Amino acid sequence: MTAAVPPTAPEPPPRKLYRSAEGRLLGGVARGLAGHLGLPVAWVRIVFIALFMAEGFGALVYALFWFIVPLGVGGVETTAGRPLTAVGPDGRRRILARRPERGQIIALVALLVGTGIFVQGFQLGRANTYIWPLLLIGAGVALFWRQADNARRAQWVELSRSKRVLPLARGATGVVLVAAGVSGIVVLQGSAKHLGAVLQAALAVLVGIALLVGPYVVRMTQDLSEERLMRIRAQERAEVAAHVHDSVLHTLTLIQRSAEDPREVARLARAQERELRAWLYRPEGTGKDEAEEPDTLAEAVKKTAAEVEDHHGVPIEVVVVGDCPLDEKLGAQIQAAREAMVNAAKYGGDGGAVQVFAEVEGATVFISVRDRGPGFDVDAVPEDRMGVRESIIGRMQRNGGTARLRSAPDGGTEVELEMERAATT
Amino acid sequence: MTDATGGTNATGGPGAQGVPGAAPGPAGARGSGGSGASGADGAETERRVRVVLVDDHRMFRTGVQAEIGETARTGVEVVGEAADVDQAVTVITATRPEVVLLDVHLPGGGGVEVLRRSASLMADQDRPVRFLALSVSDAAEDVIGVIRGGARGYVTKTITGTDLVDAIFRVSEGDAVFSPRLAGFVLDAFASTDAPPVDEDLDRLTQREREVLRLIARGYAYKEIAKQLFISVKTVESHVSAVLRKLQLSNRHELTRWATARRLV
């Protein structure tokens, strides 16, 4: 997982010693040290090799560093001058996976030659027989640890799934090398006769350990990944909370400023309430902003109601049952509903909240808008006033739906819009 | 309910002052369905309903208190208040009110927990304690959750004082109170799905029940529904109560899903 890094470069943190995950040969110790000390990598490597010649002291130091110093993103710039990170399409930084360069191969060869010279330098007779097994063990351990580092690096670098085999193979090779080295020592110490028994015993011990520790390790890995998931969620929640808190503070400021205008205050409060609800109760918590174009009926109805509410300062309660994708006919129905809501807010808004109900049942979409205002007689509306007749009734009829206006039983007006939707589900 | 002014004494009783704007609405506002006492004018208000307020926001309790607590006018007597689950259980057990106004979100386990621990009081034969859930939440699982937990109704906190008094009386008489939003959720939950009903009686709404719910969702008061469908208010109430029962007992998978989300099953 990559942590989101803001595009603006932050203050450089105090330099900590990391093993470099980039452009390294073995454990990235030299590169990390070089970065920490501000020296060229080659110098550090030369020093290590020199120490290595001195009775293998360098190897010890290097191994210590490798075990203790955490792997990190640090050290010096890669030789190719490529940036260590690239900003991905989602605006997050990713560390670029690298290809081994020629310089590295040369360096590795140099290291091997150095090792050869070092081994030749040993004039210890019998001890000489230990050298090769020890080297084998060293190589195995190095390989294995290198692999462990890679596993950690995979947290930053998105490795493709197809490369899953390679790390396993490398880890296994390391283990085999170590085993071979150990067996070598055993063989050299004792005799080859006992090898079979020793190997069996060793295998039994290994299997035993695997059985004991295996489940524990598996559980720990699961716990870790779960914990990571929780952390991501918590981070998301924190971001949402921050956003909401900001906008609530804005609204409160605005409310204080327009305290003498009750309509505006009510409007601001309602708008903020809507936003808060959208954040809190929207399924999956991923909020679409009101600004975005809705693509389902429920969203469209809610958005329309929100706009009318904002514009006229009359609360509109929306209840939606069922949902379906929008099509052209439903778009017309939403437009008609908008007109009805505007009328309800304008002429019936004093009677309390306007109640909007939308229901999708099979192929039929029904929307009702009711207010508790004084009501009005549709036949008494003068001919030249085209509002209701055209924008509501006419629009519905042209699109193959029906619209009914009537006085609600206990005062107020109700507009009922019905439409067959084209799409089938 | 948002215009609560502070400063009223929170102990209730006849001394509590009303809040401007909390006066009974004009005729034509959502009145009571005619059964029992109406909250208006106090003319026929011989009945007293003893109420406990459970809400963790003191300001809100004060506001409700100011709007409904004037016993002489509304017939509602606030006998206790609580701010969390433990307090609520203690106060309810001690005062044995007829109706508890219960906030859905409470420290200590939420309204559902209060309902769970008051089960024996709810089931009491002679003087059952009845719960009316009150919330700012719109989340389906919250709403369905408290109803399945045993509440007799659900209203949002934006309800006017008059309507709230009306709802309290309704609940005290054993009827159910549905807000438009709750009606919408129920219609959604019982919408026709491919899943075969587990229990034919509980998992389906009748045509009539559906019509009643639809009208509630459209903002109709019981009285208006009765007019619209040419039935009596009593019949409307019995339909709503039947729906409530189904809601509490049905094992429809949508309901179960909501319920398990709140760990109620």
Side-chain angles (χ1 to χ4, degrees):
Chain A
M1 93 173 243
T2 57
V5 178
T8 50
E11 286 287 299
R15 277 202 301 200
K16 275 184 72 176
L17 178 55
Y18 282 116
R19 285 185 294 109
S20 171
E22 289 304 308
R24 55 193 191 148
L25 298 178
L26 270 175
V29 173
R31 182 167 282 278
L33 261 177
H36 187 65
L37 302 170
L39 298 169
V41 188
W43 291 21
V44 182
R45 284 189 180 142
I46 287 167
V47 167
F48 265 119
I49 289 179
L51 283 173
F52 195 54
M53 301 294 184
E55 307 292 311
F57 179 64
L60 191 68
V61 172
Y62 196 95
L64 266 177
F65 267 116
W66 198 344
F67 273 85
I68 292 166
V69 178
L71 187 72
V73 192
V76 293
E77 283 293 297
T78 41
T79 42
R82 287 186 306 134
L84 281 175
T85 56
V87 179
D90 55 354
R92 295 174 172 219
R93 280 197 191 190
R94 296 209 186 295
I95 292 173
L96 295 166
R98 64 193 176 85
R99 286 193 304 279
E101 300 148 26
R102 221 179 338 169
Q104 285 192 334
I105 295 163
I106 292 170
L108 266 176
V109 170
L111 191 71
L112 283 174
V113 171
T115 313
I117 294 169
F118 165 70
V119 172
Q120 293 301 319
F122 263 104
Q123 299 296 338
L124 297 172
R126 256 197 70 89
N128 218 357
T129 50
Y130 281 109
I131 294 300
W132 289 110
L134 277 174
L135 274 179
L136 268 183
I137 293 173
V141 168
L143 245 178
F144 193 81
W145 273 83
R146 180 68 211 251
Q147 192 45 55
D149 277 352
N150 275 353
R152 286 200 56 183
R153 217 172 117 236
Q155 290 183 10
W156 303 316
V157 186
E158 301 291 318
L159 287 174
S160 56
R161 291 269 164 208
S162 59
K163 290 188 180 171
R164 287 299 285 276
V165 183
L166 187 64
L168 278 176
R170 278 165 76 175
T173 314
V175 172
V176 167
L177 280 177
V178 171
V182 172
S183 323
I185 288 182
V186 169
V187 170
L188 288 168
Q189 269 210 320
S191 59
K193 267 187 285 182
H194 299 302
L195 182 60
V198 168
L199 275 183
Q200 273 177 11
L203 195 67
V205 168
L206 279 178
V207 168
I209 289 176
L211 282 177
L212 286 174
V213 179
Y216 175 73
V217 169
V218 167
R219 234 203 10 240
M220 203 163 72
T221 336
Q222 284 170 346
D223 282 355
L224 273 174
S225 67
E226 198 175 326
E227 196 251 352
R228 197 186 303 166
L229 197 70
M230 297 297 282
R231 213 173 43 232
I232 296 171
R233 283 216 187 112
Q235 213 170 348
E236 266 176 11
R237 270 202 298 272
E239 276 171 29
V240 168
H243 168 93
V244 168
H245 292 175
D246 264 6
S247 75
V248 168
L249 286 174
H250 277 299
T251 306
L252 288 174
T253 313
L254 287 171
I255 284 179
Q256 286 172 45
R257 274 201 206 143
S258 45
E260 66 289 336
D261 181 358
R263 271 189 98 87
E264 177 67 4
V265 168
R267 194 189 66 75
L268 284 167
R270 285 289 293 188
Q272 181 59 62
E273 182 188 352
R274 268 204 319 271
E275 189 182 354
L276 204 53
R277 282 183 190 286
W279 279 109
L280 289 174
Y281 304 123
R282 191 167 267 143
E284 283 88 58
T286 52
K288 264 182 147 184
D289 277 335
E290 278 183 357
E292 286 177 47
E293 210 45 51
D295 45 18
T296 70
L297 181 91
E299 279 173 14
V301 171
K302 284 175 184 157
K303 182 168 183 280
T304 306
E307 284 164 3
V308 176
E309 193 175 68
D310 267 356
H311 197 264
H312 296 276
V314 172
I316 300 182
E317 299 290 344
V318 185
V319 176
V320 185
V321 176
D323 203 358
C324 65
L326 276 182
D327 58 33
E328 205 175 323
K329 291 165 90 180
L330 295 187
Q333 190 181 15
I334 298 278
Q335 284 304 318
R338 178 193 295 270
E339 290 299 326
M341 288 181 215
V342 169
N343 281 336
K346 267 194 200 160
Y347 305 114
D350 302 334
V354 174
Q355 193 79 36
V356 175
F357 172 72
E359 183 178 32
V360 181
E361 207 184 11
T364 312
V365 178
F366 172 89
I367 300 180
S368 80
V369 178
R370 97 160 273 185
D371 63 63
R372 296 184 172 274
F376 82 117
D377 184 358
V378 68
D379 299 325
V381 177
E383 281 297 331
D384 57 345
R385 294 281 308 281
M386 300 297 278
V388 169
R389 201 165 286 122
E390 261 316 296
S391 59
I392 299 179
I393 301 174
R395 179 176 275 141
M396 289 302 287
Q397 280 169 351
R398 277 194 300 278
N399 286 280
T402 56
R404 289 200 319 144
L405 269 82
R406 57 197 197 95
S407 292
D410 271 12
T413 311
E414 186 161 42
V415 180
E416 294 175 348
L417 310 169
E418 232 174 89
M419 183 74 83
E420 299 292 317
R421 63 195 175 101
T424 52
T425 42
Chain B
M1 193 67 47
T2 48
D3 56 351
T5 56
T8 51
N9 55 347
T11 49
Q17 300 117 39
V19 166
R30 258 170 278 193
S32 85
S35 72
S38 93
D41 300 330
E44 45 175 334
T45 313
E46 288 312 309
R47 270 200 71 218
R48 288 268 185 275
V49 179
R50 300 168 71 254
V51 174
V52 165
L53 300 180
V54 180
D55 195 301
D56 51 333
H57 296 97
R58 197 178 53 81
M59 265 179 72
F60 182 76
R61 291 203 307 271
T62 312
V64 173
Q65 171 77 39
E67 282 201 304
I68 68 170
E70 201 185 326
T71 316
R73 184 170 57 84
T74 59
V76 172
E77 186 189 353
V78 178
V79 295
E81 293 186 11
D84 62 39
V85 171
D86 293 343
Q87 256 184 49
V89 175
T90 312
V91 170
I92 293 166
T93 313
T95 55
R96 290 304 298 271
E98 287 161 85
V99 177
V100 178
L101 286 186
L102 181 66
D103 188 15
V104 174
H105 294 285
L106 272 184
V112 171
E113 182 65 14
V114 178
L115 288 162
R116 205 180 57 76
R117 286 163 60 178
S118 312
S120 59
L121 294 174
M122 268 193 275
D124 189 279
Q125 288 299 320
D126 305 329
R127 297 170 51 209
V129 175
R130 297 194 166 104
F131 287 81
L132 173 60
L134 199 65
S135 172
V136 289
S137 166
D138 284 342
E141 57 267 24
D142 285 355
V143 182
I144 302 288
V146 287
I147 295 292
R148 279 180 81 90
R152 303 285 308 164
Y154 179 96
V155 291
T156 48
K157 287 184 178 178
T158 50
I159 190 171
T160 64
T162 323
D163 288 349
L164 182 59
V165 170
D166 191 43
I168 290 171
F169 272 97
R170 217 179 266 295
V171 168
S172 75
E173 285 154 20
D175 290 324
V177 175
F178 278 23
S179 68
R181 194 170 296 281
L182 173 55
F185 283 147
V186 178
L187 283 170
D188 247 338
F190 283 96
S192 48
T193 54
D194 305 336
V198 185
D199 181 333
E200 201 57 55
D201 281 347
L202 291 176
D203 294 354
R204 291 260 167 88
L205 296 178
T206 65
Q207 193 52 38
R208 228 6 170 195
E209 286 163 355
R210 207 178 284 281
E211 281 169 358
V212 169
L213 279 181
R214 217 171 259 141
L215 288 170
I216 293 177
R218 284 165 68 168
Y220 281 55
Y222 285 16
K223 209 166 26 170
E224 295 172 325
I225 296 171
K227 269 190 196 169
Q228 177 80 17
L229 300 178
F230 305 107
I231 53 181
S232 72
V233 173
K234 264 280 162 252
T235 313
V236 174
E237 281 170 357
S238 66
H239 280 311
V240 178
S241 294
V243 172
L244 186 83
R245 195 178 131 266
K246 290 180 181 183
L247 201 51
Q248 288 174 342
L249 299 177
S250 166
N251 283 321
R252 265 196 84 82
H253 66 279
E254 285 89 354
L255 295 173
T256 332
R257 185 165 54 82
W258 277 333
T260 41
R262 310 286 298 171
R263 294 199 205 84
L264 297 170
V265 173

